[in-house]
Amino acid sequence: MNRVVTTVVGTLVESWQELRVHRGRVVLSLVGVTIAVASLAVVVGFGSLAERVTAAFNEQYGGRPATYSITGTPGTGAAAAATADAVDRELRAAADRYDVQYATEASYTSRRIQFPDGVAEVQGMTVDPPWAEIHRLRIAAGDWFSESDRDRLAPAIVVNQAFLDRLGGADVVTHPTVRMPGTPGVTAVVIGQYVSSEYDTDPMFYQLANSVATASVTPGADDGNQRTFEVWIPEHGAKALANRIASDAERAVGGDVSVDAGRMDAAGSVDGDPLGAMRYVIAGVAVLVLVLGGLGLLNVSLVSVRQRIREIGIRRGVGASAGRIFVAVLLENVLGTAVAGGIGVMVGAAVLGNDTVRGLITSGVEVGGAPFPLEAALIGVGSAVFVGALAGFLPAVLAVRVKVIDAIRY
């Protein structure tokens, strides 16, 4: 046992000493590996961030997997609004019956808003508190809806930055109020501002469904004829459950009401993996970078062994075994590429950790996780060691074939 440990430690020390003696050659040979690993780490890290950004964008617009939109169409006529309310009640009852934790109304609406510069028609949505969780909505200031907000006599609304700008740059902390002319008119309180894109230049708002204040408002011409409901449910059996909720509500309301369920998140609209194409592209780039780095290291290692034939022959002459020579030459490449891999990963982390670069990749979307993905670091160092082993195998075989007579010949 002691002999094995001594041999292993001695071989490692010998390989490290060779690296120090030939540090000039080593540095030159590993520059390419460092650049290759840094590129690989950046590519893998970029791919990981891009996947998370894509998933975040998809979930903001379509909901998390699996989100189903259940739409009730009660027809037309004077009783349409009342029928729509009945559909909404039955959808909520069905969601409670099947223990759906995340369920929300998601109906588009428009309201007339009294701004300082005049009355304007503003687009909005009527939602429940779970909407923010389903669609990854983030709050920039103030608060999102809670169940207690349903009892407010003045309806609570959550708006975007453009809405606040139209109010003259109002601060959410002061809970500004806005007049909503209607039948009857109401005064709404702004309780929060959600994070919006810089391209979102039109005022928009969210209002809370089934609140005391909004219940007395007569629906406008575009409201009341259709009610949309969303549920976020486990992917396994999601389609059957969503259809069951829709059919229960349709059967309970009766009449000419039609209630349909359709999946709306990105995972349900694309066959297979929606990010599969991106993964294939990233994998192809990573393999190309590895191949180029490995070929460069192999060429340098072969030349190095040719130049060291006299040294290797002398070592064979003083008793070094073929296995010791093989492992020593192989470990020179592995140790060198491991160091190069670590440096390359640090360079890659510095690039992706830069706020400007990260901002360009994420477009301001909060994706969570570590600033530099752990898988990028592991793949970078692991690939460097793997390339070092492959690039060192052939030179090690050539070194083993060196004979004592070669030391005299060279």
Side-chain angles (χ1 to χ4, degrees):
M1 182 66 182
N2 290 335
R3 183 178 180 181
V4 174
V5 173
T6 302
T7 302
V8 172
V9 173
T11 303
L12 288 172
V13 172
E14 183 181 337
S15 299
W16 182 251
Q17 291 297 330
E18 287 295 330
L19 287 176
R20 293 183 60 188
V21 171
H22 302 281
R23 55 182 175 272
R25 173 187 61 81
V26 171
V27 169
L28 290 177
S29 65
L30 295 180
V31 166
V33 176
T34 303
I35 295 174
V37 172
S39 302
L40 178 62
V42 170
V43 168
V44 174
F46 170 81
S48 177
L49 286 176
E51 287 181 11
R52 283 189 280 169
V53 170
T54 302
F57 269 122
N58 289 338
E59 290 174 1
Q60 284 181 2
Y61 291 99
R64 301 174 186 257
T67 299
Y68 275 79
S69 175
I70 305 174
T71 304
T73 306
T76 59
T83 306
D85 289 339
V87 171
D88 182 71
R89 286 195 301 271
E90 294 301 330
L91 286 174
R92 293 177 185 276
D96 289 338
R97 187 160 54 250
Y98 295 113
D99 296 324
V100 176
Q101 182 179 0
Y102 295 97
T104 175
E105 183 178 336
S107 301
Y108 286 94
T109 185
S110 63
R111 299 292 296 268
R112 297 176 66 214
I113 305 293
Q114 178 68 61
F115 291 109
D117 58 351
V119 177
E121 196 78 15
V122 179
Q123 301 298 314
M125 288 193 71
T126 303
V127 299
D128 291 283
W131 166 272
E133 186 67 24
I134 295 174
H135 289 271
R136 282 182 174 268
L137 189 73
R138 294 183 295 129
I139 296 298
D143 300 299
W144 179 248
F145 300 120
S146 64
E147 289 297 331
S148 61
D149 290 322
R150 298 190 195 276
D151 299 327
R152 287 175 176 264
L153 297 181
I157 60 174
V158 177
V159 303
N160 62 356
Q161 182 62 51
F163 194 107
L164 294 175
D165 292 340
R166 189 76 182 268
L167 285 178
D171 191 343
V172 173
V173 177
T174 63
H175 296 293
T177 60
V178 291
R179 182 69 178 168
M180 293 182 170
T183 311
V186 295
T187 298
V189 179
V190 178
I191 64 169
Q193 173 201 347
Y194 66 90
V195 176
S196 57
S197 168
E198 58 181 322
Y199 304 107
D200 190 5
T201 57
D202 294 328
M204 292 189 65
F205 70 94
Y206 289 96
Q207 65 181 11
L208 187 60
N210 293 342
S211 61
V212 172
T214 56
S216 61
V217 178
T218 303
D222 297 329
D223 300 331
N225 291 331
Q226 188 179 71
R227 197 65 60 89
T228 301
F229 202 67
E230 288 183 6
V231 291
W232 174 27
I233 50 184
E235 290 191 77
H236 179 69
K239 184 176 181 180
L241 177 56
N243 288 333
R244 193 154 54 243
I245 293 173
S247 62
D248 285 0
E250 182 176 302
R251 187 166 48 252
V253 176
D256 59 351
V257 174
S258 174
V259 183
D260 301 303
R263 188 166 178 177
M264 58 184 298
D265 62 277
S269 61
V270 179
D271 292 333
D273 185 359
L275 301 176
M278 180 182 296
R279 289 191 176 95
Y280 285 127
V281 172
I282 293 169
V285 174
V287 169
L288 178 60
V289 171
L290 268 179
V291 169
L292 293 177
L295 288 177
L297 179 62
L298 175 61
N299 289 333
V300 173
S301 298
L302 288 173
V303 173
S304 174
V305 169
R306 290 290 184 184
Q307 293 176 343
R308 296 167 57 196
I309 287 180
R310 180 179 178 84
E311 170 196 335
I312 296 172
I314 293 175
R315 292 174 61 187
R316 291 299 301 273
V318 295
S321 65
R324 184 72 173 263
I325 296 294
F326 179 88
V327 173
V329 174
L330 183 65
L331 281 181
E332 287 179 30
N333 288 274
V334 172
L335 290 176
T337 53
V339 174
I343 296 174
V345 166
M346 288 189 289
V347 172
V351 171
L352 288 181
N354 182 271
D355 292 337
T356 302
V357 175
R358 189 176 178 85
L360 292 174
I361 298 174
T362 62
S363 300
V365 177
E366 180 61 41
V367 296
F372 184 72
L374 178 61
E375 62 266 27
L378 295 177
I379 290 175
V381 175
S383 299
V385 173
F386 179 71
V387 168
L390 287 181
F393 180 79
L394 184 56
V397 171
L398 293 178
V400 168
R401 293 181 177 180
V402 174
K403 299 179 176 57
V404 177
I405 190 65
D406 293 329
I408 303 174
R409 187 178 303 166
Y410 287 88

PDB file of all heavy atoms in Angstrom, residues 194-212:
ATOM      1  N   TYR A 194     -45.921  47.316 -11.244  1.00  0.00           N
ATOM      2  CA  TYR A 194     -45.249  46.089 -11.676  1.00  0.00           C
ATOM      3  C   TYR A 194     -44.107  46.409 -12.632  1.00  0.00           C
ATOM      4  O   TYR A 194     -44.094  47.463 -13.286  1.00  0.00           O
ATOM      5  CB  TYR A 194     -46.246  45.115 -12.306  1.00  0.00           C
ATOM      6  CG  TYR A 194     -46.875  45.555 -13.605  1.00  0.00           C
ATOM      7  CD1 TYR A 194     -46.292  45.258 -14.837  1.00  0.00           C
ATOM      8  CD2 TYR A 194     -48.084  46.246 -13.617  1.00  0.00           C
ATOM      9  CE1 TYR A 194     -46.870  45.639 -16.038  1.00  0.00           C
ATOM     10  CE2 TYR A 194     -48.683  46.630 -14.803  1.00  0.00           C
ATOM     11  CZ  TYR A 194     -48.070  46.331 -16.005  1.00  0.00           C
ATOM     12  OH  TYR A 194     -48.652  46.714 -17.183  1.00  0.00           O
ATOM     13  N   VAL A 195     -43.151  45.523 -12.699  1.00  0.00           N
ATOM     14  CA  VAL A 195     -41.990  45.701 -13.573  1.00  0.00           C
ATOM     15  C   VAL A 195     -42.434  45.549 -15.018  1.00  0.00           C
ATOM     16  O   VAL A 195     -43.070  44.553 -15.389  1.00  0.00           O
ATOM     17  CB  VAL A 195     -40.899  44.672 -13.242  1.00  0.00           C
ATOM     18  CG1 VAL A 195     -39.731  44.798 -14.214  1.00  0.00           C
ATOM     19  CG2 VAL A 195     -40.422  44.860 -11.808  1.00  0.00           C
ATOM     20  N   SER A 196     -42.115  46.525 -15.846  1.00  0.00           N
ATOM     21  CA  SER A 196     -42.513  46.504 -17.249  1.00  0.00           C
ATOM     22  C   SER A 196     -41.322  46.827 -18.124  1.00  0.00           C
ATOM     23  O   SER A 196     -40.322  47.385 -17.667  1.00  0.00           O
ATOM     24  CB  SER A 196     -43.643  47.506 -17.515  1.00  0.00           C
ATOM     25  OG  SER A 196     -43.258  48.817 -17.126  1.00  0.00           O
ATOM     26  N   SER A 197     -41.436  46.484 -19.390  1.00  0.00           N
ATOM     27  CA  SER A 197     -40.364  46.734 -20.340  1.00  0.00           C
ATOM     28  C   SER A 197     -40.277  48.215 -20.678  1.00  0.00           C
ATOM     29  O   SER A 197     -41.269  48.954 -20.566  1.00  0.00           O
ATOM     30  CB  SER A 197     -40.606  45.913 -21.622  1.00  0.00           C
ATOM     31  OG  SER A 197     -39.750  46.329 -22.666  1.00  0.00           O
ATOM     32  N   GLU A 198     -39.089  48.635 -21.102  1.00  0.00           N
ATOM     33  CA  GLU A 198     -38.924  50.025 -21.517  1.00  0.00           C
ATOM     34  C   GLU A 198     -39.736  50.344 -22.769  1.00  0.00           C
ATOM     35  O   GLU A 198     -40.016  51.498 -23.069  1.00  0.00           O
ATOM     36  CB  GLU A 198     -37.442  50.313 -21.787  1.00  0.00           C
ATOM     37  CG  GLU A 198     -36.832  49.405 -22.857  1.00  0.00           C
ATOM     38  CD  GLU A 198     -35.357  49.706 -23.082  1.00  0.00           C
ATOM     39  OE1 GLU A 198     -34.973  50.895 -23.054  1.00  0.00           O
ATOM     40  OE2 GLU A 198     -34.592  48.750 -23.276  1.00  0.00           O
ATOM     41  N   TYR A 199     -40.121  49.276 -23.497  1.00  0.00           N
ATOM     42  CA  TYR A 199     -40.941  49.476 -24.692  1.00  0.00           C
ATOM     43  C   TYR A 199     -42.432  49.523 -24.361  1.00  0.00           C
ATOM     44  O   TYR A 199     -43.253  49.752 -25.247  1.00  0.00           O
ATOM     45  CB  TYR A 199     -40.681  48.344 -25.697  1.00  0.00           C
ATOM     46  CG  TYR A 199     -39.216  48.209 -26.071  1.00  0.00           C
ATOM     47  CD1 TYR A 199     -38.450  47.148 -25.589  1.00  0.00           C
ATOM     48  CD2 TYR A 199     -38.599  49.158 -26.873  1.00  0.00           C
ATOM     49  CE1 TYR A 199     -37.104  47.024 -25.922  1.00  0.00           C
ATOM     50  CE2 TYR A 199     -37.255  49.042 -27.211  1.00  0.00           C
ATOM     51  CZ  TYR A 199     -36.520  47.971 -26.719  1.00  0.00           C
ATOM     52  OH  TYR A 199     -35.188  47.873 -27.055  1.00  0.00           O
ATOM     53  N   ASP A 200     -42.767  49.291 -23.100  1.00  0.00           N
ATOM     54  CA  ASP A 200     -44.169  49.322 -22.679  1.00  0.00           C
ATOM     55  C   ASP A 200     -44.537  50.767 -22.372  1.00  0.00           C
ATOM     56  O   ASP A 200     -44.514  51.214 -21.222  1.00  0.00           O
ATOM     57  CB  ASP A 200     -44.332  48.432 -21.438  1.00  0.00           C
ATOM     58  CG  ASP A 200     -45.779  48.213 -21.077  1.00  0.00           C
ATOM     59  OD1 ASP A 200     -46.647  48.663 -21.840  1.00  0.00           O
ATOM     60  OD2 ASP A 200     -46.036  47.598 -20.025  1.00  0.00           O
ATOM     61  N   THR A 201     -44.875  51.508 -23.406  1.00  0.00           N
ATOM     62  CA  THR A 201     -45.071  52.952 -23.277  1.00  0.00           C
ATOM     63  C   THR A 201     -46.527  53.362 -23.082  1.00  0.00           C
ATOM     64  O   THR A 201     -46.798  54.541 -22.862  1.00  0.00           O
ATOM     65  CB  THR A 201     -44.516  53.664 -24.527  1.00  0.00           C
ATOM     66  OG1 THR A 201     -45.151  53.139 -25.705  1.00  0.00           O
ATOM     67  CG2 THR A 201     -43.007  53.449 -24.639  1.00  0.00           C
ATOM     68  N   ASP A 202     -47.460  52.426 -23.192  1.00  0.00           N
ATOM     69  CA  ASP A 202     -48.873  52.745 -22.993  1.00  0.00           C
ATOM     70  C   ASP A 202     -49.292  52.411 -21.569  1.00  0.00           C
ATOM     71  O   ASP A 202     -48.902  51.366 -21.034  1.00  0.00           O
ATOM     72  CB  ASP A 202     -49.749  51.965 -23.974  1.00  0.00           C
ATOM     73  CG  ASP A 202     -49.523  52.394 -25.415  1.00  0.00           C
ATOM     74  OD1 ASP A 202     -49.223  53.584 -25.629  1.00  0.00           O
ATOM     75  OD2 ASP A 202     -49.622  51.536 -26.316  1.00  0.00           O
ATOM     76  N   PRO A 203     -50.101  53.275 -20.931  1.00  0.00           N
ATOM     77  CA  PRO A 203     -50.579  52.969 -19.578  1.00  0.00           C
ATOM     78  C   PRO A 203     -51.379  51.673 -19.570  1.00  0.00           C
ATOM     79  O   PRO A 203     -52.185  51.412 -20.461  1.00  0.00           O
ATOM     80  CB  PRO A 203     -51.466  54.170 -19.235  1.00  0.00           C
ATOM     81  CG  PRO A 203     -51.010  55.264 -20.136  1.00  0.00           C
ATOM     82  CD  PRO A 203     -50.580  54.593 -21.402  1.00  0.00           C
ATOM     83  N   MET A 204     -51.147  50.849 -18.581  1.00  0.00           N
ATOM     84  CA  MET A 204     -51.894  49.603 -18.388  1.00  0.00           C
ATOM     85  C   MET A 204     -52.095  49.389 -16.891  1.00  0.00           C
ATOM     86  O   MET A 204     -51.343  49.928 -16.066  1.00  0.00           O
ATOM     87  CB  MET A 204     -51.154  48.412 -19.001  1.00  0.00           C
ATOM     88  CG  MET A 204     -51.076  48.435 -20.515  1.00  0.00           C
ATOM     89  SD  MET A 204     -50.425  46.877 -21.196  1.00  0.00           S
ATOM     90  CE  MET A 204     -51.727  45.736 -20.732  1.00  0.00           C
ATOM     91  N   PHE A 205     -53.088  48.567 -16.559  1.00  0.00           N
ATOM     92  CA  PHE A 205     -53.377  48.334 -15.152  1.00  0.00           C
ATOM     93  C   PHE A 205     -53.949  46.932 -14.957  1.00  0.00           C
ATOM     94  O   PHE A 205     -54.440  46.284 -15.890  1.00  0.00           O
ATOM     95  CB  PHE A 205     -54.377  49.375 -14.624  1.00  0.00           C
ATOM     96  CG  PHE A 205     -55.770  49.207 -15.176  1.00  0.00           C
ATOM     97  CD1 PHE A 205     -56.728  48.473 -14.500  1.00  0.00           C
ATOM     98  CD2 PHE A 205     -56.124  49.782 -16.391  1.00  0.00           C
ATOM     99  CE1 PHE A 205     -58.006  48.304 -15.005  1.00  0.00           C
ATOM    100  CE2 PHE A 205     -57.401  49.626 -16.910  1.00  0.00           C
ATOM    101  CZ  PHE A 205     -58.345  48.881 -16.222  1.00  0.00           C
ATOM    102  N   TYR A 206     -53.872  46.463 -13.713  1.00  0.00           N
ATOM    103  CA  TYR A 206     -54.548  45.247 -13.271  1.00  0.00           C
ATOM    104  C   TYR A 206     -55.561  45.650 -12.205  1.00  0.00           C
ATOM    105  O   TYR A 206     -55.258  46.479 -11.331  1.00  0.00           O
ATOM    106  CB  TYR A 206     -53.555  44.244 -12.673  1.00  0.00           C
ATOM    107  CG  TYR A 206     -52.635  43.605 -13.671  1.00  0.00           C
ATOM    108  CD1 TYR A 206     -51.355  44.116 -13.889  1.00  0.00           C
ATOM    109  CD2 TYR A 206     -53.019  42.475 -14.395  1.00  0.00           C
ATOM    110  CE1 TYR A 206     -50.497  43.523 -14.808  1.00  0.00           C
ATOM    111  CE2 TYR A 206     -52.165  41.875 -15.308  1.00  0.00           C
ATOM    112  CZ  TYR A 206     -50.914  42.418 -15.505  1.00  0.00           C
ATOM    113  OH  TYR A 206     -50.067  41.834 -16.416  1.00  0.00           O
ATOM    114  N   GLN A 207     -56.752  45.072 -12.268  1.00  0.00           N
ATOM    115  CA  GLN A 207     -57.739  45.284 -11.227  1.00  0.00           C
ATOM    116  C   GLN A 207     -58.154  43.931 -10.647  1.00  0.00           C
ATOM    117  O   GLN A 207     -58.056  42.899 -11.312  1.00  0.00           O
ATOM    118  CB  GLN A 207     -58.955  46.040 -11.757  1.00  0.00           C
ATOM    119  CG  GLN A 207     -59.764  45.290 -12.794  1.00  0.00           C
ATOM    120  CD  GLN A 207     -60.952  46.106 -13.297  1.00  0.00           C
ATOM    121  OE1 GLN A 207     -61.059  47.300 -13.019  1.00  0.00           O
ATOM    122  NE2 GLN A 207     -61.833  45.459 -14.039  1.00  0.00           N
ATOM    123  N   LEU A 208     -58.598  43.955  -9.399  1.00  0.00           N
ATOM    124  CA  LEU A 208     -58.888  42.718  -8.688  1.00  0.00           C
ATOM    125  C   LEU A 208     -60.309  42.261  -8.981  1.00  0.00           C
ATOM    126  O   LEU A 208     -61.271  43.034  -8.880  1.00  0.00           O
ATOM    127  CB  LEU A 208     -58.697  42.936  -7.189  1.00  0.00           C
ATOM    128  CG  LEU A 208     -58.795  41.705  -6.292  1.00  0.00           C
ATOM    129  CD1 LEU A 208     -57.744  40.675  -6.677  1.00  0.00           C
ATOM    130  CD2 LEU A 208     -58.633  42.119  -4.827  1.00  0.00           C
ATOM    131  N   ALA A 209     -60.441  40.991  -9.352  1.00  0.00           N
ATOM    132  CA  ALA A 209     -61.760  40.427  -9.648  1.00  0.00           C
ATOM    133  C   ALA A 209     -62.569  40.232  -8.375  1.00  0.00           C
ATOM    134  O   ALA A 209     -62.016  40.065  -7.282  1.00  0.00           O
ATOM    135  CB  ALA A 209     -61.587  39.087 -10.358  1.00  0.00           C
ATOM    136  N   ASN A 210     -63.894  40.279  -8.530  1.00  0.00           N
ATOM    137  CA  ASN A 210     -64.822  39.997  -7.432  1.00  0.00           C
ATOM    138  C   ASN A 210     -64.571  40.857  -6.199  1.00  0.00           C
ATOM    139  O   ASN A 210     -64.612  40.377  -5.067  1.00  0.00           O
ATOM    140  CB  ASN A 210     -64.760  38.521  -7.029  1.00  0.00           C
ATOM    141  CG  ASN A 210     -65.280  37.604  -8.122  1.00  0.00           C
ATOM    142  OD1 ASN A 210     -65.976  38.052  -9.037  1.00  0.00           O
ATOM    143  ND2 ASN A 210     -64.945  36.327  -8.037  1.00  0.00           N
ATOM    144  N   SER A 211     -64.287  42.137  -6.420  1.00  0.00           N
ATOM    145  CA  SER A 211     -64.107  43.050  -5.301  1.00  0.00           C
ATOM    146  C   SER A 211     -65.407  43.807  -5.037  1.00  0.00           C
ATOM    147  O   SER A 211     -66.280  43.892  -5.907  1.00  0.00           O
ATOM    148  CB  SER A 211     -62.975  44.035  -5.585  1.00  0.00           C
ATOM    149  OG  SER A 211     -63.271  44.819  -6.725  1.00  0.00           O
ATOM    150  N   VAL A 212     -65.527  44.361  -3.851  1.00  0.00           N
ATOM    151  CA  VAL A 212     -66.756  45.047  -3.463  1.00  0.00           C
ATOM    152  C   VAL A 212     -67.033  46.239  -4.366  1.00  0.00           C
ATOM    153  O   VAL A 212     -68.156  46.446  -4.835  1.00  0.00           O
ATOM    154  CB  VAL A 212     -66.660  45.506  -1.987  1.00  0.00           C
ATOM    155  CG1 VAL A 212     -67.842  46.395  -1.629  1.00  0.00           C
ATOM    156  CG2 VAL A 212     -66.584  44.309  -1.070  1.00  0.00           C
TER     157      VAL A 212
END
